[in-house]
């Protein structure tokens, strides 16, 4: 049945070559736990680059994940930090600027002169992989990521999902995300999740979506938590404080939750995931960053056996191997 569904989805993809329309019921038509390439194949190549996203897609990732920041002139760019210096060569190109190299102080034209540098275990190349984008390690705009995912959907013959994160609780960012997605034909059936750590941002996004009659899927990021009576809650972390919401409250404005894995204060459990599912919520986990193949396999298996629906992974190939092994059981 799964094979038949997958083949039908691929046929639809090939016939349309479109991202938003590809795959019919989008985020719901693949029953397998989803592999989300966290910042691209960020364990191997510079994060949030077209090269890194492409390697992740070649490895089989279901979704690519662009974190989003906003430039001085209002452009949405794929970048995790609200500053440019950890992941780019800004300090060498703009040494005179100072000021902490905040994204919000730079125009898109200035950002476009930068090169993204590898961090963590990433390198500047990956064996046997030649990126297809003309500037694979520049900073892409959100629209460029959307266009690239559409192009890769055609190349791969399967829908490449998008999982953008609003990194700023800013109405301009909300509007930019919704406009970019709507302009590109995304809707409630698309292979898409919009994520945020801010419930206020998601509530605002949902209200705007309702007004626009286009309820694209939302995911609230947080931590597993419990009420004093032990009932499951979602923790919203702000500095050193944690505010909690019931699963029913969260289900009132999102389609799912993205939880910190390996949280020792309140570990994710099968019972927690079962109750989230009963509330109508998908459960995704972040961040699977284990580079050792055997340790990664054990970590993925642990959460897959609890019923986790999606995994943000720095090493998408290891996540794919774990997903495939799990599905064969
Ligand atoms: O969005 C899920 C996960 O990516 C959250 O962590 O800090 O990598 O955006 P971060
Ligand atoms: Ca993220």
């Amino acid at each position: 049945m799964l094979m038949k569904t997958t083949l039908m989805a691929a046929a639809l993809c090939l016939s349309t070559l479109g991202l938003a329309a590809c795959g019919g019921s989008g985020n719901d038509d693949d029953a397998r736990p989803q592999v989300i390439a966290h910042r691209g194949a960020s364990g191997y190549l510079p994060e949030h680059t077209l090269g890194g996203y492409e390697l992740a897609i070649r490895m089989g990732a279901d979704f690519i994940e662009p974190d989003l920041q906003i430039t001085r002139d209002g452009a949405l760019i794929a970048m995790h930090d609200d500053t440019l210096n950890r992941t780019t060569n800004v300090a060498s190109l703009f040494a005179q600027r100072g000021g902490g190299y905040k994204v919000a102080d730079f125009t898109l034209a200035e950002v476009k002169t930068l090169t993204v540098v590898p961090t963590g275990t990433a390198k500047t190349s990956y064996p046997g992989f030649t990126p297809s984008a003309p500037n694979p390690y520049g900073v892409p705009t959100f629209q460029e990521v959307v266009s690239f995912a559409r192009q890769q959907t055609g190349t791969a013959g399967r829908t490449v999902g998008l999982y953008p994160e609003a990194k700023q609780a800013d109405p301009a960012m909300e509007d930019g995300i919704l406009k970019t997605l709507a302009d590109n034909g995304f809707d409630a059936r698309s292979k898409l999740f919009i994520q945020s750590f801010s419930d206020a941002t998601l509530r605002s996004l949902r209200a705007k979506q309702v007004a626009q009659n286009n309820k694209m899927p939302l995911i609230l990021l947080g931590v597993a938590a419990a009420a004093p009576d032990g009932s499951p809650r979602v923790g919203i972390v702000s500095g050193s404080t944690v505010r909690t919401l019931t699963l029913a409250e969260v289900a009132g404005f999102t389609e799912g939750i993205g939880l910190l894995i390996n949280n020792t204060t309140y570990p994710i459990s099968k019972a927690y995931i079962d109750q989230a599912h009963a509330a109508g919520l998908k459960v995704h986990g972040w961040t699977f960053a284990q580079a050792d193949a055997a340790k990664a396999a054990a970590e993925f298996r642990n959460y897959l056996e609890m019923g986790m629906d999606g995994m943000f992974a720095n090493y998408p190939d290891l996540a794919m191997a774990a997903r495939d092994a799990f599905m064969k059981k």
Side-chain angles (χ1 to χ4, degrees):
M1 182 61 191
L2 190 60
M3 173 79 78
K4 187 177 172 193
T5 304
T6 304
L7 287 172
M8 287 171 62
L12 183 59
C13 283
L14 288 168
S15 67
T16 63
L17 300 187
L19 177 66
C22 198
S25 55
N27 51 34
D28 287 326
D29 72 348
D30 187 343
R32 300 171 299 180
Q34 297 291 282
V35 173
I36 306 144
H38 180 244
R39 311 185 196 177
S42 59
Y44 297 118
L45 287 173
E47 67 181 55
H48 292 311
T49 61
L50 298 186
Y53 297 141
E54 185 172 8
L55 178 61
I57 294 163
R58 296 265 187 94
M59 289 175 165
D62 301 290
F63 287 83
I64 55 174
E65 190 228 4
D67 294 322
L68 297 175
Q69 296 287 351
I70 191 161
T71 64
R72 192 174 92 203
D73 46 348
L76 297 189
I77 60 168
M79 181 152 298
H80 178 273
D81 300 3
D82 62 2
T83 56
L84 296 160
N85 50 311
R86 182 181 64 85
T87 59
T88 77
N89 60 346
V90 67
S92 59
L93 294 191
F94 291 89
Q96 79 291 358
R97 186 75 74 94
Y101 303 115
K102 287 187 175 304
V103 175
D105 291 338
F106 284 72
T107 64
L108 178 60
E110 290 169 335
V111 168
K112 280 295 186 184
T113 66
L114 304 176
T115 298
V116 184
V117 297
T119 56
T121 58
K123 299 195 165 32
T124 54
S125 63
Y126 183 82
F129 170 68
T130 303
S132 64
N135 182 22
Y137 300 118
V139 178
T141 64
F142 183 36
Q143 176 57 60
E144 287 166 345
V145 178
V146 172
S147 298
F148 188 71
R150 171 178 286 128
Q151 178 228 316
Q152 289 291 308
T153 286
T155 303
R158 62 184 176 83
T159 307
V160 174
L162 271 179
Y163 209 132
E165 179 180 350
K167 278 295 185 191
Q168 299 297 323
D170 178 341
M173 174 165 284
E174 296 167 13
D175 294 341
I177 291 171
L178 293 179
K179 180 174 188 328
T180 301
L181 293 172
D183 287 351
N184 286 274
F186 284 82
D187 61 24
R189 297 165 302 145
S190 300
K191 190 162 180 174
L192 167 77
F193 292 105
I194 305 170
Q195 50 170 329
S196 176
F197 281 101
S198 164
D199 62 308
T201 293
L202 292 177
R203 291 175 202 270
S204 176
L205 279 168
R206 180 48 42 96
K208 290 175 181 178
Q209 290 177 334
V210 168
Q212 295 166 10
N213 194 28
N214 191 359
K215 280 175 60 176
M216 293 176 270
L218 304 178
I219 296 283
L220 176 64
L221 301 171
V223 297
D229 68 0
S231 60
R233 289 186 163 237
V234 180
I236 316 286
V237 181
S238 177
S240 58
T241 65
V242 180
R243 178 168 53 85
T244 68
L245 300 174
T246 67
L247 296 175
E249 284 173 323
V250 175
F253 61 93
T254 78
E255 281 62 48
I257 49 181
L259 300 176
L260 171 67
I261 63 167
N262 301 326
N263 177 18
T264 52
T265 308
Y266 190 93
I268 301 168
S269 64
K270 182 174 186 315
Y272 184 100
I273 292 178
D274 285 348
Q275 291 176 86
H277 286 165
L281 295 167
K282 292 183 185 299
V283 180
H284 297 165
W286 50 273
T287 298
F288 290 85
Q290 181 58 254
D292 177 84
K295 290 179 183 169
E299 185 174 66
F300 284 121
R301 187 170 60 245
N302 179 37
Y303 286 98
L304 287 168
E305 287 177 351
M306 288 181 202
M308 188 167 270
D309 305 295
M311 305 162 295
F312 288 85
N314 288 356
Y315 305 94
D317 54 341
L318 300 184
M320 290 300 298
R323 195 264 294 276
D324 290 347
F326 178 73
M327 296 304 294
K328 281 187 189 136
K329 277 178 50 182

